[in-house]
C-alpha cells in the first residue's frame, strides 16, 4: 500500500492506547498471511526482550528491544504475538510467534485470526 489504511491505523492506535492484547487480526503482507493477536508495542518489545534474555546465544540483543516510552504520532507497525504465518494447511510456528509488520505494507486484512483443527 502506498498509503496506510486509515481504519487499520485506528485499530492499531486503539490497541496502543488501551494496552490490550485481545484484538485478533489477520493480514496479508509481502505475500504472507499472518494471523494472531495484536499487542501494544511496549508489551511486544518487553516479551521479545525476555525471550532474548533467556537465550544463551542471543541475550546480547535483548537491550535493543527495551521500550523507550510512547511514540509520537499514529502507529506505523502492527505488533503480533501468539501469531502464525499461514502456509497451506499449517500455521508456522504451531505455538505462535512474535511478528512486527509495517502497516504501510499490509495489502489486505480482516478482524479475527485463523486456526486449523
Amino acid at each position: 500500500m502506498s498509503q496506510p489504511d486509515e481504519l487499520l491505523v485506528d485499530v492499531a492506535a486503539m490497541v496502543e492506547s488501551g494496552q490490550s492484547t485481545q484484538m485478533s487480526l489477520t493480514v496479508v503482507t509481502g505475500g504472507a498471511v499472518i494471523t494472531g493477536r495484536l499487542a501494544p508495542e511496549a508489551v511486544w518489545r518487553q516479551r521479545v526482550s525476555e525471550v532474548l534474555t533467556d537465550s544463551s546465544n542471543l541475550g546480547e540483543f535483548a537491550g535493543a528491544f527495551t521500550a523507550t516510552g510512547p511514540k509520537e504520532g499514529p502507529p506505523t507497525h502492527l505488533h503480533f504475538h501468539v501469531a502464525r504465518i499461514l502456509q497451506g494447511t499449517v500455521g508456522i510456528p504451531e505455538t505462535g510467534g512474535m511478528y512486527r509488520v509495517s502497516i504501510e505494507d499490509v495489502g489486505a486484512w480482516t478482524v479475527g485470526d485463523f486456526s486449523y483443527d
Side-chain angles (χ1 to χ4, degrees):
M1 270 185 197
S2 57
Q3 292 286 339
D5 182 318
E6 291 179 26
L7 183 54
L8 187 54
V9 171
D10 289 347
V11 168
M14 290 179 73
V15 169
E16 287 294 326
S17 68
Q19 300 296 298
S20 172
T21 59
Q22 299 305 306
M23 181 59 176
S24 295
L25 198 71
T26 299
V27 300
V28 178
T29 180
V33 177
I34 299 175
T35 189
R37 288 193 316 224
L38 295 179
E41 182 176 359
V43 171
W44 183 87
R45 284 176 173 263
Q46 178 63 36
R47 181 66 185 124
V48 171
S49 178
E50 290 168 1
V51 169
L52 292 172
T53 297
D54 292 344
S55 170
S56 59
N57 297 325
L58 302 173
E60 65 189 88
F61 294 99
F65 290 89
T66 304
T68 58
K71 306 272 191 226
E72 294 294 321
T76 58
H77 290 78
L78 302 171
H79 296 87
F80 286 91
H81 71 117
V82 193
R84 295 171 315 282
I85 296 174
L86 301 181
Q87 180 177 359
T89 60
V90 297
I92 304 168
E94 284 185 22
T95 57
M98 308 289 285
Y99 298 103
R100 177 177 159 111
V101 176
S102 173
I103 294 172
E104 191 172 276
D105 293 337
V106 172
W109 62 279
T110 188
V111 172
D113 65 342
F114 292 92
S115 61
Y116 296 105
D117 293 330

